[in-house]
Amino acid sequence: MSDIVLKTENLGISFGGLKAVQELNLEIKKGQLYGLVGPNGAGKTTVFNMITGVYKPTTGKFWLDGENLTGKSQEAINHKGIARTFQNIRLFNNMTVIRNVMVGLHNQPEFKCGVLASIFRLPWHFKTEKAMREKAKKILEIVGLLDERNNLSCNLPYGKQRKLEIARALATNPKLLCLDEPAAGMNPHETEDLMSIVRHIRDKFDVTILLIEHDMKFVSGLCDEITVLNFGTVLAQGSPEVALNDPEVIKAYIGG
């Protein structure tokens, strides 16, 4: 069996005459921490939108664990095992922290509960609810939010809201977890803490992680391999040390 979790082949998308991403070829191995970096407007979030079903590629294909998911819906892709966070936090603000995570658990077969059991509050409903709560607590403990579980998510400070969004994505039991600028807006201490959490998530959940990030220290300290994009095309691929020192990459970031 191949150890490639995500593969893209000449993946691209155009909006009218604008080629937002073109000929993207990735091979991300099981258990990798993989970075997708580049200046603003490079096409990074567009790549996430394609592999999570928000956009349908106009060229190329992509596979998860060898299964072609090109053109599938967001729901279908999530069920197959790709989960994501967003640049702009999208929590259920008027739900508690633990309820936000429990929402993510609803697509798991082990937590399926019949409509009648829920309507009539049958014993199976309460058994399922208890199991979901215990699972959510374990996830929250890993991201350092267990003590916040009964607070409304809107009352969390920004850095903790970022962690909660990661926890909710984790609850869907992904094979590939896509993190869109997870360290954005965090102070150095929060960023350092997040790096440890992301490593722990990778090891504890046996999940492959693809992340977009502008913080090069974060990327260099965390990622095994990166792809650098600029204007939708690949400038460099390889280890952070090699790719970030590529002359074309330096030129794209600082000009000249």
Side-chain angles (χ1 to χ4, degrees):
M1 183 180 291
S2 172
D3 66 345
I4 302 298
V5 171
L6 179 74
K7 179 178 179 179
T8 71
E9 183 179 281
N10 296 326
L11 196 67
I13 188 168
S14 297
F15 300 103
L18 173 66
K19 293 183 177 179
V21 176
Q22 52 187 316
E23 297 183 0
L24 177 67
N25 294 294
L26 297 176
E27 286 193 353
I28 301 176
K29 297 177 182 177
K30 182 177 175 60
Q32 268 194 316
L33 282 163
Y34 199 103
L36 195 60
V37 303
N40 288 330
K44 305 181 296 297
T45 297
T46 302
V47 173
F48 269 27
N49 285 338
M50 285 191 286
I51 65 175
T52 57
V54 177
Y55 298 153
K56 292 187 178 182
T58 50
T59 61
K61 299 176 181 179
F62 71 94
W63 296 260
L64 182 74
D65 266 355
E67 183 176 357
N68 187 351
L69 299 184
T70 314
K72 300 286 186 182
S73 69
Q74 295 181 63
E75 183 180 8
I77 289 172
N78 180 251
H79 276 286
K80 290 296 183 180
I82 300 180
R84 72 172 294 182
T85 63
F86 294 85
Q87 283 182 0
N88 300 314
I89 296 171
R90 300 185 184 182
L91 297 173
F92 298 107
N93 288 326
N94 294 318
M95 283 186 182
T96 61
V97 167
I98 196 166
R99 283 286 174 188
N100 266 271
V101 178
M102 289 170 69
V103 166
L105 291 170
H106 276 285
N107 75 338
Q108 300 304 303
E110 63 190 289
F111 300 120
K112 291 295 182 185
C113 186
V115 175
L116 289 179
S118 296
I119 291 175
F120 293 106
R121 315 289 280 179
L122 298 178
W124 182 251
H125 165 80
F126 292 105
K127 184 178 180 180
T128 303
E129 179 90 359
K130 183 179 179 181
M132 290 176 69
R133 185 170 289 273
E134 290 304 310
K135 178 68 173 181
K137 284 166 68 175
K138 289 179 181 178
I139 295 172
L140 287 172
E141 186 173 20
I142 286 171
V143 300
L145 293 178
L146 182 60
D147 291 343
E148 307 274 6
R149 64 187 179 277
N150 295 319
N151 295 333
L152 290 178
S153 65
C154 61
N155 292 334
L156 292 180
Y158 180 84
K160 290 184 177 181
Q161 288 188 6
R162 283 274 177 199
K163 291 178 184 178
L164 178 55
E165 196 174 35
I166 294 172
R168 188 179 59 185
L170 264 180
T172 66
N173 194 30
K175 297 175 182 177
L176 179 70
L177 177 62
C178 299
L179 305 178
D180 196 343
E181 296 191 27
M186 290 188 174
N187 63 44
H189 175 75
E190 289 172 328
T191 300
E192 194 71 28
D193 182 46
L194 181 63
M195 288 175 69
S196 297
I197 289 171
V198 171
R199 289 192 194 98
H200 189 49
I201 286 170
R202 188 267 308 270
D203 298 337
K204 180 74 174 179
F205 287 86
D206 193 28
V207 65
T208 303
I209 297 174
L210 171 63
L211 64 91
I212 292 170
E213 190 51 67
H214 282 293
D215 186 333
M216 290 301 103
K217 184 178 179 182
F218 186 87
V219 169
S220 299
L222 193 61
C223 294
D224 306 308
E225 191 172 344
I226 67 172
T227 288
V228 184
L229 292 178
N230 193 33
F231 296 115
T233 61
V234 174
L235 286 186
Q237 289 180 313
S239 69
E241 294 77 15
V242 172
L244 293 178
N245 285 294
D246 184 286
E248 289 301 313
V249 172
I250 294 171
K251 181 179 178 181
Y253 269 99
I254 66 173

